[in-house]
């Protein structure tokens, strides 16, 4: 069985490759792809997997990258505004290559969410479903790393800013989501009870950002307050911190969606897929604090 992973130069894709190797998938049957194959060299050296160039803006490269594919993990791209066309081309290329399963990483509650991020995911899901291809959609919730990666700034200013109000967000670590993707690729989508679902709503522990700030306070041993801001003010703060305006807008909009419950789920699909409880916020914060810096 040949498994092709897109976006293997990124965090999630590379973790999926590592997990597949860990659970016994032969390295020679795994193809890690990315726009820049030089960035895949370390992954190939560490794992022994094949590497191929796959540029979503270059359909010919997709045909070459997906040659011989049986299962494709389509990791959603990061090019907001271009995602749907990129995903559509990848799905077409995979089908032309004879793929028997396409697994797509979407976003939580994609069919009902009003998030700016959700539109292209929803359109991709609809296109994939209409294609008739055997598929599994992994609607990933928010990453714990979206918060723990901001630890230095949070510690420096004693504030966790956002626009989420009292909304609850269902989160898990990148490793949790990677383990789920690997489980689907090796089981055809079956969960621990043996059932198979086409769509999985994936999320772990749910909390408010006020509760997250309390966890930062406890672990750091210093007061950290959650500062709730109007969406436009939060976007301006992110822009002032150096983020591109379009990225700041998307992130602030995500917090607005969080306040409406659009990044929350009661589904236990993630725990069932990975066979363990997802990473908690306490563990994620403690791991981030203990991680060497510099």
């Amino acid at each position: 069985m040949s498994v092709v992973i897109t976006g293997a130069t990124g965090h999630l894709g590379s973790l999926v490759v590592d997990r597949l190797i860990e659970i016994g998938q032969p390295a020679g049957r795994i193809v890690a792809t990315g726009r820049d194959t030089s960035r895949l060299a370390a992954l190939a050296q560490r794992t022994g997997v094949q590497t191929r160039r796959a540029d979503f803006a270059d359909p010919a490269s997709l045909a070459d990258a997906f040659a011989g594919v049986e299962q494709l993990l389509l990791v959603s791209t990061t090019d907001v505004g271009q995602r749907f066309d990129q995903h559509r081309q990848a799905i077409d290329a995979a089908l032309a290559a004879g793929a028997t399963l396409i697994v797509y990483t979407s976003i939580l509650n994609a069919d009902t969410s009003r998030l700016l991020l959700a539109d292209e995911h929803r359109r991709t899901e609809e296109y994939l479903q209409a294609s008739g291809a055997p598929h599994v959609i992994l609607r990933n919730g928010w990453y714990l790393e979206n918060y723990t990666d901001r630890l230095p700034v949070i510690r420096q200013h004693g504030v966790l800013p956002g626009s989420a109000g009292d909304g609850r967000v269902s989160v898990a670590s990148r490793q949790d989501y990677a383990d789920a993707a690997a489980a689907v690729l090796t089981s055809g989508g079956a969960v621990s009870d043996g059932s198979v679902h086409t769509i999985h709503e994936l999320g772990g522990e749910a909390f408010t950002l006020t509760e997250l700030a309390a966890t930062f306070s406890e672990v750091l041993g210093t007061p950290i307050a959650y500062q709730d801001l109007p969406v436009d003010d939060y976007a301006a703060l992110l822009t002032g911190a150096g983020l591109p305006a379009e990225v700041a807008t998307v992130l602030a909009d995500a917090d607005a969606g969080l306040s409406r419950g659009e990044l929350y789920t009661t589904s236990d699909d993630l725990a069932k897929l990975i066979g363990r409880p997802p990473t908690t916020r306490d563990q994620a914060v403690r791991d981030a604090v203990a991680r060497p810096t510099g």
Side-chain angles (χ1 to χ4, degrees), residues 73 103-107 136-140 180-181 184 200 202 273:
L73 175 64
V103 180
Y104 173 63
T105 63
S106 187
I107 194 170
V136 174
I137 295 169
L138 301 177
R139 290 180 174 168
N140 290 349
V184 167
H200 295 280
L202 302 183
L273 280 172

Side-chain angles (χ1 to χ4, degrees), residues 238-261:
L238 294 172
T239 303
L243 288 181
E246 61 273 16
V247 175
T249 297
V250 165
L251 291 178
D253 175 75
D255 258 28
L258 195 163
S259 73
R260 299 188 297 264

Side-chain angles (χ1 to χ4, degrees), residues 41-58:
L43 179 66
Q45 185 174 18
R46 183 175 76 249
T47 62
V49 301
Q50 304 177 58
T51 64
R52 297 176 187 169
R53 177 177 173 269
D55 185 343
F56 287 85
D58 179 4

Side-chain angles (χ1 to χ4, degrees), residues 206-271:
F207 51 77
T208 67
L209 295 194
T210 297
E211 291 170 336
L212 177 59
T215 299
F216 275 119
S217 297
E218 178 183 351
V219 175
L220 291 171
T222 188
I224 303 294
Y226 171 58
Q227 181 183 21
D228 197 56
L229 300 169
V231 173
D232 289 346
D233 291 353
Y234 184 39
L237 183 150
L238 294 172
T239 303
L243 288 181
E246 61 273 16
V247 175
T249 297
V250 165
L251 291 178
D253 175 75
D255 258 28
L258 195 163
S259 73
R260 299 188 297 264
E262 294 174 10
L263 288 170
Y264 171 77
T265 183
T266 59
S267 169
D268 61 354
D269 281 358
L270 180 57

